[in-house]
Amino acid sequence: QVQLVESGGGSVQPGGSLRLSCAASGRTFSSYAMGWFRQAPGKEREFVAAISRSGGSTDYADSVKGRFTISRDNAKNTVYLQMNSLKPEDTAVYYCAAEHDPFDSSRYQFYHYWGQGTQVTVSS
């Protein structure tokens, strides 16, 4: 099992930046593929970014491509989401998720472990 704790959320103006962190418990962090998802009020949880177990492969939603960067540090049991050029439509609760080998890393249904979420608000 793995426990996930997100941090780094907050309020920022459009065009600003935030870096989210997700710290994982346990000694087997490198055996999990990791994903970031977000959920705005009244909307379904949506894919943001994913990274492979080694960090050698990443994937992004079209809406964040070129603005967000996912990375991981297996020595620190942490995955990051650097968010630049933030827009009001990026406002949501952001969740990190872990799964050993998700069938489809862009679909939340294939992740078993979740953090509690961190709020990101982009507003002027």
Side-chain angles (χ1 to χ4, degrees):
Q1 287 191 351
V2 62
Q3 293 183 326
L4 306 173
V5 179
E6 301 98 333
S7 62
S11 296
V12 65
Q13 293 186 339
S17 298
L18 285 173
R19 187 175 84 154
L20 306 184
S21 299
C22 174
S25 64
R27 300 179 180 179
T28 60
F29 177 70
S30 60
S31 71
Y32 292 91
M34 301 297 295
W36 283 99
F37 293 79
R38 66 188 182 187
Q39 189 166 18
K43 294 188 176 181
E44 188 176 9
R45 191 167 297 192
E46 67 173 359
F47 171 70
V48 176
I51 190 166
S52 62
R53 286 171 285 187
S54 69
S57 178
T58 58
D59 189 23
Y60 297 92
D62 288 342
S63 59
V64 308
K65 204 169 290 184
R67 300 188 297 123
F68 291 10
T69 302
I70 188 171
S71 62
R72 66 189 297 162
D73 185 338
N74 285 344
K76 296 182 177 180
N77 284 11
T78 302
V79 63
Y80 305 97
L81 185 69
Q82 177 66 44
M83 304 186 296
N84 298 329
S85 302
L86 283 161
K87 304 175 180 179
E89 51 263 43
D90 294 319
T91 295
V93 177
Y94 283 71
Y95 299 90
C96 69
E99 185 56 61
H100 282 299
D101 188 17
F103 180 76
D104 183 341
S105 63
S106 68
R107 295 181 62 184
Y108 68 87
Q109 295 91 336
F110 292 106
Y111 288 83
H112 186 70
Y113 302 103
W114 292 86
Q116 83 287 350
T118 186
Q119 177 70 46
V120 171
T121 302
V122 185
S123 174
S124 55

